[in-house]
Amino acid sequence: TISSPNTAPAYVARPERWECDTQVMIFDDCGRQMAGRLANLSVGGFMAECEEKVRKGAVVEVDIPVRGRVRAEIRWVLGWRFGAMILP
């Protein structure tokens, strides 16, 4: 559908994020095991920093306290910081 110029775009709320500062281990799809720090977490993803740069699109596994090991796809990278979407 085409919207008129006076129609505001639909607002999509982001899932709630919980701030944290937790040391984690990150395992990438190249077989590397790296130390990282979880900065925030939501139901569907997280932001973290890693001792080595990771690439956008890579699939990693992260041991998240209480939740356990999850698989996630790297969605954005800024230096050593990255955001990831948790995979089902």
Side-chain angles (χ1 to χ4, degrees), residues 17-88:
R17 277 151 173 73
W18 299 279
E19 297 296 319
C20 54
D21 185 11
T22 304
Q23 299 297 317
V24 294
M25 292 306 298
I26 300 168
F27 306 88
D28 73 3
D29 54 2
C30 295
R32 297 183 297 177
Q33 179 177 332
M34 303 164 286
R37 184 182 66 81
L38 202 59
N40 73 41
L41 179 65
S42 72
V43 171
F46 57 87
M47 181 178 69
E49 293 179 343
C50 189
E51 67 178 332
E52 295 187 38
K53 292 182 180 179
V54 294
R55 65 181 165 72
K56 182 179 174 183
V59 174
V60 297
E61 292 186 5
V62 179
D63 282 322
I64 297 178
V66 180
R67 185 161 181 181
R69 188 176 282 203
V70 299
R71 291 183 69 239
E73 178 186 347
I74 307 296
R75 302 299 294 240
W76 60 265
V77 176
L78 184 60
W80 284 268
R81 183 171 283 191
F82 66 91
M85 177 182 70
I86 296 173
L87 300 171

